[in-house]
Amino acid sequence: MKNVFFEDEEITDNDLYFICYMIERVARKLHQRNKYVVNNVEPMEWRRLISLANVLHCENPLKVEQEWIDENELKTGTFDITDVDKELVDEIPWETQMGKVYTRLILNTLGENEDYIGGMIRVYNDDICETIDNYNASAYYEPSYVIARAYNEGGF
C-alpha cells in the first residue's frame, strides 16, 4: 500500500499497528466496540491516517485519540470492554497488546489484492471480534496462527 502523501513511500506493518492500537484506545475511551470506531471513519480518512501514522506515533496518544473523536464526531456508548469477571481475569490486556493481536490477524488474513485498510475494515467487522474481545475467555491470548485459523474457519 502506498502513502497517499508520498507515492514513493510504502505503508508498513508498523503503521497498521499504530492504527489498530489507536482504534483500541478510542473504543475503550468511548465505551464502544472497535467495530464502531472503524465503521464511523470513512475509508479515505483511514488511508490518510495510516499515511500519517509514522508521524502521529510521535504525538501524545491522548491528543491523537481526542482528535480522532472530534474530527469524526464519534459518540460515547455503553460497552465497557474492561468489565470482566475478576475471578477469571487477573489482568486486562493493554491497548498495545490488542493492537498487536488485530494487526497480526489482519496481516495473516490479508487477501492478494487487498490493502491494509480493506483488511482492517473486513477483520473488525467480523463476528470473531466479539470472541477476541471477551477477556473472560482466552481467545485474544492464543497464538496468531490459531486466531487466523479460527477467523478463516468462522470461529473458535
Side-chain angles (χ1 to χ4, degrees):
M1 180 175 177
K2 297 285 185 186
N3 186 305
V4 297
F5 300 109
F6 303 102
E7 293 178 9
D8 294 339
E9 187 176 308
E10 287 286 330
I11 301 298
T12 68
D13 297 356
N14 285 334
D15 298 329
L16 176 62
Y17 163 67
F18 174 77
I19 296 297
C20 293
Y21 157 67
M22 288 305 301
I23 289 168
E24 190 74 31
R25 285 187 64 103
V26 170
R28 287 184 187 197
K29 180 174 185 168
L30 293 176
H31 294 277
Q32 294 280 9
R33 291 193 176 274
N34 294 331
K35 177 180 181 177
Y36 168 83
V37 176
V38 169
N39 290 335
N40 284 282
V41 176
E42 294 295 323
M44 283 308 299
E45 177 64 4
W46 283 124
R47 285 177 173 71
R48 185 184 79 80
L49 290 170
I50 201 168
S51 293
L52 294 171
N54 62 351
V55 175
L56 290 175
H57 83 273
C58 297
E59 296 277 346
N60 180 332
L62 294 172
K63 177 181 177 262
V64 175
E65 88 184 13
Q66 194 59 53
E67 286 174 354
W68 284 22
I69 292 167
D70 294 342
E71 290 171 6
N72 297 289
E73 300 177 357
L74 301 175
K75 307 292 183 213
T76 301
T78 59
F79 174 71
D80 185 1
I81 199 164
T82 64
D83 184 20
V84 296
D85 184 336
K86 302 296 183 200
E87 291 184 24
L88 297 174
V89 181
D90 293 332
E91 188 175 318
I92 295 168
W94 291 89
E95 295 93 336
T96 52
Q97 293 169 306
M98 293 310 296
K100 289 178 185 176
V101 168
Y102 279 105
T103 299
R104 288 190 293 258
L105 180 56
I106 294 164
L107 293 173
N108 288 337
T109 62
L110 203 60
E112 188 176 317
N113 295 318
E114 189 175 43
D115 66 14
Y116 290 152
I117 300 305
M120 179 189 78
I121 292 168
R122 175 182 44 77
V123 164
Y124 280 111
N125 278 286
D126 194 276
D127 291 339
I128 200 166
C129 294
E130 289 192 30
T131 304
I132 293 170
D133 290 340
N134 177 1
Y135 300 152
N136 290 319
S138 64
Y140 71 91
Y141 197 67
E142 294 292 333
S144 57
Y145 73 89
V146 172
I147 296 173
R149 184 178 64 218
Y151 174 87
N152 288 326
E153 294 178 0
F156 283 89

